[in-house]
Amino acid sequence: MSLMSIEEAPRAPAPGARPALFALGFRPFYLLAAAFAAVSVPLWVAAQAGWPVPARVDMLWHMHEMVYGFAVAVIVGFLYTAGYNWTRLWTPRGWRLAAIAGVWLAGRAAMLAAPPLAAAAVDAIFLPLAALPLYRVLKQSGNRRNMFLVALLGLLALSNLLYHAATLGWLPLDPLAPVHAAIVLIVAIEAVIGGRVIPMFTANGAPGTRPVQDARVDRTALFLTVLAGAAWTAGLAAPFTAALAMAAAVAQALRLAGWKPWRTLRNPLLWILHLSYAWIPLGFLALALAQYGIVTPSAALHLLTVGSLAGLVIGMITRTALGHTGRPLKAGRAETLMYVLAQGAVLARFAAALAPAARMPWLVLATVCWSGCFLAYLAVYLPRLVAPRPDGREG
């Protein structure tokens, strides 16, 4: 099975009853990620405004939790769901899935309230624990094509360990460096998965469209993206980093242009993916400009996170949830509202980074859009994800 097969549901019910919430990985992890996103960002903005919040809620907490809390939950939920379709072997479900989700939840609570060493220990367990079942099903099925994703989960786990070692004073390392490295890894995951599924979705959802995929452009774009991200993370010379970031921006823009995004304007399930992917080249353009002080590094960072990451997340967690709950792949008014709010969040957050004098009003607006997006997701999809599929299939 290829990575493209992410919307197929298991066809034959397995024996034995289990709660629908833990029938497949996307169900608990998409809900947990959405709920955490809706709550954690307002909590951090409240801290910025001087409101009484837990002492651990600072900039490092915010950056760590957006990456290793929110983003990682979505990635694991997606990979567990896609993993079955690639291999026809079950990824964790039932009590095993509930236990893994419980470890993620314990990590979020620990990072908020536990002593630093205990928080690090609880938080660091999740990624290795989550990666192991995926490795097992890929190995058992001989699916080598997607094994690199397990390696990327391993690198995310390593960067998380480095973050904790730095914050505990065990390493003479800026704690932001491992988080930046993790963001680069996540952008690489977006580039790989996006390059496989977005053209296919476009061809299927926009009749008559033939997206162009060039393996050389794909490889070049991915190579330059990782290289530019590594140069930025390592703090290499500004001219060198700027040149790489500009090259990555051009390569990613050429890649996206081949997918013919202008043909998707009538289909929200498609344009949200194209528009969100466009924040990758724009983010690297901003990263190049940041090397010369034209924009702030924060502006570039949030184009890659609030822009590409969150946009692709809301696009995929609606699409895969529709497919895996037996519903038509069609965005209604609620989904379109989520997509618009996600784009409003990135624009407002970018404005906050560009206009320090008006930072707080823009942050509040970005937070309203961000939380509104994920609260809308919970309102629409919570009843669907805790209920069995109406067609009787498992998944």
Side-chain angles (χ1 to χ4, degrees), residues 7-370:
E7 293 165 354
E8 300 174 9
R11 296 185 181 279
R18 62 178 52 81
L21 177 60
F22 300 109
L24 203 55
F26 76 98
R27 290 176 177 264
F29 279 112
Y30 286 4
L31 291 175
L32 286 170
F36 184 68
V39 171
S40 59
V41 171
L43 186 62
W44 176 73
V45 173
Q48 296 292 292
W51 291 14
V53 298
R56 297 289 295 280
V57 180
D58 57 12
M59 180 63 73
L60 284 177
W61 175 87
H62 171 64
M63 292 191 68
H64 178 275
E65 291 300 275
M66 286 296 96
V67 173
Y68 300 104
F70 167 67
V72 160
V74 174
I75 291 169
V76 169
F78 175 88
L79 291 179
Y80 278 4
T81 305
Y84 174 86
N85 292 325
W86 303 335
T87 66
R88 293 302 173 188
L89 299 174
W90 284 108
T91 53
R93 55 185 180 145
W95 70 265
R96 292 181 178 84
L97 178 57
I100 294 171
V103 171
W104 179 91
L105 196 58
R108 310 290 59 79
M111 289 298 296
L112 188 62
L117 183 58
V122 175
D123 176 61
I125 292 171
F126 175 71
L127 272 166
L129 182 68
L132 184 59
L134 184 64
Y135 168 77
R136 285 175 173 167
V137 298
L138 292 177
K139 182 180 179 181
Q140 185 177 346
S141 66
N143 189 309
R144 296 182 179 180
R145 182 178 187 233
N146 295 311
M147 191 65 79
F148 77 97
L149 291 165
V150 177
L152 289 177
L153 290 179
L155 290 174
L156 285 172
L158 176 60
S159 69
N160 194 26
L161 287 173
L162 291 174
Y163 168 86
H164 287 299
T167 56
L168 291 169
W170 295 354
L171 284 178
L173 178 69
D174 182 352
L176 291 179
V179 179
H180 290 168
I183 291 170
V184 173
L185 287 171
I186 291 171
V187 171
I189 293 173
E190 294 168 6
V192 173
I193 293 180
R196 292 185 181 182
V197 302
I198 295 175
M200 182 197 67
F201 293 162
T202 303
N204 292 340
T209 304
R210 294 183 180 180
V212 176
Q213 291 180 273
D214 187 317
R216 292 172 298 179
V217 172
D218 291 348
R219 288 193 296 267
T220 300
L222 182 60
F223 175 74
L224 289 172
T225 296
V226 172
L227 200 60
W232 167 58
T233 300
L236 299 186
F240 181 67
T241 300
L244 287 174
M246 186 63 72
V250 171
Q252 288 287 7
L254 288 173
R255 189 186 196 210
L256 177 61
W259 302 342
K260 302 183 179 179
W262 58 89
R263 297 295 302 272
T264 69
L265 299 179
R266 296 179 181 274
N267 188 334
L269 280 179
L270 293 179
W271 67 246
I272 183 58
L273 299 179
H274 285 264
L275 181 56
S276 300
Y277 196 92
W279 291 113
I280 295 178
L282 290 172
F284 277 95
L285 172 61
L287 189 62
L289 297 176
Q291 305 308 304
Y292 296 104
I294 299 173
V295 301
T296 64
S298 175
L301 181 68
H302 285 92
L303 292 185
L304 292 173
T305 52
V306 183
S308 69
L309 171 59
L312 288 170
V313 161
I314 196 63
M316 290 304 297
I317 69 175
T318 49
R319 185 183 188 98
T320 57
L322 286 170
H324 276 277
T325 56
R327 290 171 171 82
L329 290 175
K330 183 178 181 181
R333 292 180 179 177
E335 286 80 11
T336 303
L337 174 64
M338 297 173 210
Y339 303 160
V340 171
L341 286 172
Q343 300 310 306
V346 64
L347 292 174
R349 188 60 185 86
F350 186 65
L354 292 181
R359 180 172 181 269
M360 188 53 65
W362 283 116
L363 275 182
V364 171
L365 178 58
T367 302
V368 169
C369 291
W370 172 277

